[in-house]
């Protein structure tokens, strides 16, 4: 089977919907594939096998092939995937060809670091506005942008057509910021503040909680230590691949 490009926009021909209804797990893996593909392109690679791309993205090749089949991309037998074409397809599905406008609310230590991150522009995002409620921070220059007061959020969001809002405030003010973003017409929010936000059903929220990620890693450390403490000092599951429960 050959790799397909359906017209000028991926997924428009051969009865394939113009915008596929992708499983959430597939959506979560597409940015990993894209990161790996960008790296391959930078090294001069024009094609890549499913095994090679899967290894670079940290998934198994069967899962990768299934994910990419949702995009109408099947590769070419004996050749693999066209790197540039696959980049175009994934960027289209992720909407990265839109160069979306992003605002950041909260320019404390974390917000300041996020505002200075240069990687957003190379991945299809424009940070167009920074906001904070602290008068001492309003007017500060960060990465070429002037910090505005949160009272001006609604006006600036309309002027800049902001699509995504990033919350990097203390947890106590995160809900009020989310309410302001929603009132300003922002329908996608990336939340770095601990806690759960209440938003309308048409607003998508992604949460990044570093403490939770550390707790999950702590579980794995605890599990490894428990396995090592068993008779024989076993530090890995049996060769059969069957994971055993440790204690109750």
């Amino acid at each position: 089977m050959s790799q397909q490009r359906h017209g000028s926009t991926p997924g428009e021909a051969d009865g394939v919907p113009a915008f596929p209804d992708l499983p959430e797990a597939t959506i979560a893996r597409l940015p990993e594939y894209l990161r790996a593909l960008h790296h391959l392109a930078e090294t001069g690679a024009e094609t890549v096998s499913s095994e090679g791309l899967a290894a670079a993205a940290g998934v198994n090749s069967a899962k990768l092939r299934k994910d990419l089949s949702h995009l109408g991309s099947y590769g070419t037998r004996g050749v693999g995937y066209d790197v540039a074409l696959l980049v175009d397809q994934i960027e289209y599905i992720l909407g990265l060809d839109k160069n979306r406008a992003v605002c950041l609310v909260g320019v404390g230590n974390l917000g300041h670091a996020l505002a200075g991150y240069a990687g957003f522009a190379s991945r299809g995002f424009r940070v167009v506005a920074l906001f904070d409620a602290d008068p001492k921070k309003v007017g500060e220059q960060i990465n070429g942008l002037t910090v505005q007061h949160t009272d001006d959020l609604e006006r600036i969001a309309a002027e800049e057509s902001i699509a995504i809002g990033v919350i990097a405030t203390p947890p106590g003010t995160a809900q009020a910021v989310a309410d302001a973003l929603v009132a300003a017409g922002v329908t996608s929010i990336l939340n770095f503040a601990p806690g759960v936000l209440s938003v309308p059903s048409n607003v998508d929220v992604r949460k990044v909680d570093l403490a939770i990620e550390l707790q999950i890693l702590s579980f794995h450390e605890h599990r490894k230590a428990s396995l090592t403490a068993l008779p024989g000092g076993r530090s890995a599951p049996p060769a059969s691949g069957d994971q055993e429960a440790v204690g109750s």
Side-chain angles (χ1 to χ4, degrees):
M1 289 183 288
S2 62
Q3 185 167 334
Q4 301 175 18
R5 184 164 192 165
H6 305 292
S8 59
T9 303
E12 287 186 341
D14 301 332
V16 180
F19 198 89
D21 185 15
L22 301 178
E24 285 293 327
T26 295
I27 297 170
R29 287 189 290 268
L30 289 181
E32 294 294 338
Y33 302 153
L34 186 59
R35 175 195 56 78
L37 287 163
H38 277 299
H39 178 71
L40 288 166
E42 289 167 2
T43 63
E46 296 183 355
T47 60
V48 61
S49 66
S50 59
E51 291 79 7
L53 182 54
V59 303
N60 67 64
S61 58
K63 186 176 292 183
L64 177 136
R65 286 192 294 269
K66 183 176 181 180
D67 286 342
L68 297 185
S69 71
H70 290 299
L71 313 186
S73 185
Y74 301 96
T76 302
R77 187 179 301 277
V79 176
Y81 295 93
D82 181 303
V83 170
L85 176 55
L86 196 50
V87 165
D88 285 348
Q89 289 177 312
I90 294 177
E91 287 187 343
Y92 167 74
I93 291 298
L94 293 178
L96 302 183
D97 55 337
K98 306 300 183 184
N99 198 23
R100 300 187 187 280
V102 177
C103 73
L104 171 67
V105 185
V107 291
N109 291 336
L110 175 59
H112 205 288
L114 291 171
Y117 177 57
F120 293 128
S122 63
R123 292 296 181 263
F125 301 97
R126 294 179 295 115
V127 179
V128 298
L130 308 175
F131 298 97
D132 204 286
D134 185 350
K136 295 179 181 178
K137 294 176 181 175
V138 173
E140 182 181 350
Q141 292 284 322
I142 304 175
N143 204 25
L145 292 173
T146 302
V147 177
Q148 309 286 336
H149 197 279
T150 49
D151 289 346
D152 296 323
L153 195 156
E154 187 167 355
R155 173 182 60 81
I156 295 174
E159 291 175 355
E160 298 287 351
S161 300
I162 292 172
I164 301 172
V166 180
I167 298 177
T169 65
T173 58
Q175 182 62 57
V177 170
D179 293 342
L181 288 168
V182 171
V186 175
T187 55
S188 291
I189 296 174
L190 179 61
N191 180 31
F192 282 88
V196 178
L197 298 177
S198 176
V199 297
S201 59
N202 68 319
V203 176
D204 293 298
V205 177
R206 298 285 296 180
K207 182 172 71 171
V208 180
D209 192 323
L210 300 181
I212 287 178
E213 298 303 322
L214 287 172
Q215 289 168 351
I216 293 170
L217 288 174
S218 178
F219 161 79
H220 290 294
E221 285 299 308
H222 188 191
R223 177 180 176 276
K224 286 183 285 188
S226 299
L227 288 171
T228 303
L230 289 176
R234 188 174 76 249
S235 59
S240 64
D242 296 327
Q243 185 172 323
E244 298 182 359
V246 179
S248 58

